[in-house]
Amino acid sequence: MGSRGGSGGDGAESHGYAADIHSIREAQARIAPYVHKTPVLSSTSIDAIVGKQLFFKCECFQKAGAFKIRGASNSIFALDDDEASKGVVTHSSGNHAAAVALAAKLRGIPAYIVIPRNAPACKVDNVKRYGGHIIWSDVSIESRESVAKRVQEETGAILVHPFNNKNTISGQGTVSLELLEEVPEIDTIIVPISGGGLISGVALAAKAINPSIRILAAEPKGADDSAQSKAAGKIITLPSTNTIADGLRAFLGDLTWPVVRDLVDDIIVVDDNAIVDAMKMCYEMLKVAVEPSGAIGLAAALSDEFKQSSAWHESSKIGIIVSGGNVDLGVLWESLYKQIPLV
């Protein structure tokens, strides 16, 4: 972990970032009829293991099972009727795809969803459930973007970007508003990082409310482009990613990078074993079904990297953004069925 990056609330509003506290509060009002205000849970058992008070913002209980409905609904309901009439298009490995499909259904417009062939089945099923029109792409981000562009040209649909968009970032920032309304004494928030939409919104809102709050990113070792970008002072992309956290394989965009560069204080990198250990703890102690991307915040809080940092000593009440709960449990159910006694 490196030195702290952000300069606080003034910085969050004076550097020309894609979103700000005003656009995030507007988003909160716009999306209120369409999203859940998710609970904040705690566990004295987990607190004892970590050695800090943790407050879990459980977006796994959100509509479509993840925080993404916030940005998607803000983007789609911000469109005027003419813009919305031809529908929307996006590309996503899963949670954003389902969120756009659901938000479009709520608006009554078509949604064209470009999905890579390696997307988890449970997330593809969500898109189908919400009536999204699925178009398959290859795994690479280049393929996803080119297919989405072709669909956009063919249909006239509006692109709803998964992270690199003002309305998306503003919608995701409402997570921060809710968390700090409920637990204002939080001094540190740990947020999963991928394309940067969630952490950008969280950081912009939180540092406008409390300039001294610390924002830490949690990133998988097999997709640590953000940590490399932070160290290099410029956007770094990787030739490939390799992590169980399928929702954390995107790279920073030109709108999210400045926020990450300036307002994210540190990035904690954890391996996949630590992520699975944190998932297990969430299931067994918090009693919450969490996907790998949603468990990474707890994994970061448990990590030696965090415990050896100055941020550890300066933190006492830590918010953990549990970003989603869409995980394939087929193997679990198969193993349980095998344990049923034969009559």
Side-chain angles (χ1 to χ4, degrees):
M1 294 171 70
S3 61
R4 293 191 66 182
S7 58
D10 289 339
E13 296 197 49
S14 62
H15 283 73
Y17 300 123
D20 56 30
I21 188 64
H22 308 295
S23 67
I24 294 167
R25 291 199 187 281
E26 286 174 2
Q28 187 176 40
R30 180 180 291 124
I31 70 177
Y34 311 109
V35 305
H36 293 316
K37 184 175 182 180
T38 53
V40 178
L41 302 183
S42 59
S43 164
T44 54
S45 297
I46 295 177
D47 289 353
I49 293 168
V50 175
K52 302 287 182 182
Q53 266 192 289
L54 303 186
F55 299 89
F56 296 88
K57 178 62 170 167
C58 291
E59 288 294 289
C60 47
F61 296 134
Q62 186 54 263
K63 288 185 179 178
F67 74 95
K68 291 283 192 177
I69 188 65
R70 296 174 182 270
S73 57
N74 191 47
S75 296
I76 287 171
F77 282 92
L79 298 173
D80 64 36
D81 289 343
D82 286 342
E83 290 173 319
S85 62
K86 294 182 179 179
V88 290
V89 60
T90 197
H91 57 85
S92 166
S93 65
N95 284 338
H96 178 70
V100 169
L102 176 56
K105 182 179 180 180
L106 293 171
R107 179 84 195 253
I109 61 175
Y112 305 96
I113 313 294
V114 177
I115 301 181
R117 299 184 191 281
N118 66 340
C122 67
K123 297 186 178 182
V124 177
D125 289 343
N126 283 343
V127 175
K128 293 177 180 176
R129 189 177 300 119
Y130 300 134
H133 305 284
I134 294 175
I135 303 99
W136 297 101
S137 75
D138 291 334
V139 174
S140 71
I141 188 70
E142 293 82 7
S143 174
R144 286 162 49 168
E145 289 177 343
S146 66
V147 173
K149 185 176 181 182
R150 173 173 57 79
V151 172
Q152 193 176 6
E153 290 169 351
E154 291 174 356
T155 63
I158 298 288
L159 178 67
V160 179
H161 198 279
F163 52 87
N164 203 46
N165 172 275
K166 173 181 179 175
N167 287 327
T168 301
I169 293 169
S170 298
Q172 318 309 25
T174 61
V175 172
S176 211
L177 296 183
E178 290 181 10
L179 177 60
L180 293 177
E181 283 167 5
E182 188 159 343
V183 195
E185 64 270 26
I186 282 173
D187 52 49
T188 300
I189 305 177
I190 303 180
V191 191
I193 191 167
S194 181
L198 174 61
I199 199 166
S200 292
V202 167
L204 288 164
K207 294 212 174 195
I209 294 166
N210 176 8
S212 65
I213 202 166
R214 181 178 292 98
I215 304 295
L216 303 177
E219 186 169 48
K221 188 175 182 180
D224 66 343
D225 58 289
S226 297
Q228 292 188 36
S229 299
K230 192 86 162 155
K234 62 180 181 180
I235 295 179
I236 300 291
T237 58
L238 308 175
S240 62
T241 58
N242 183 22
T243 176
I244 192 174
D246 61 276
L248 302 180
R249 295 172 181 161
F251 305 134
L252 296 168
D254 63 339
L255 299 183
T256 57
W257 161 242
V259 184
V260 172
R261 179 193 63 207
D262 298 346
L263 300 181
V264 173
D265 297 298
D266 274 314
I267 298 178
I268 305 167
V269 177
V270 297
D271 64 28
D272 279 7
N273 284 327
I275 294 173
V276 175
D277 288 344
M279 284 181 70
K280 186 169 181 283
M281 191 176 290
C282 287
Y283 278 67
E284 293 179 351
M285 295 184 181
L286 204 59
K287 309 302 181 188
V288 170
V290 179
E291 64 185 270
S293 304
I296 196 171
L298 176 57
L302 290 161
S303 69
D304 290 339
E305 183 179 352
F306 181 42
K307 291 181 179 180
Q308 292 165 6
S309 70
S310 60
W312 165 263
H313 299 288
E314 296 165 6
S315 301
S316 62
K317 299 180 186 297
I318 302 173
I320 305 285
I321 307 299
V322 180
S323 54
N326 294 315
V327 59
D328 282 327
L329 295 175
V331 174
L332 170 62
W333 307 133
E334 287 171 17
S335 68
L336 290 174
Y337 280 124
K338 288 176 183 176
Q339 295 176 41
I340 296 174
L342 295 173
V343 178

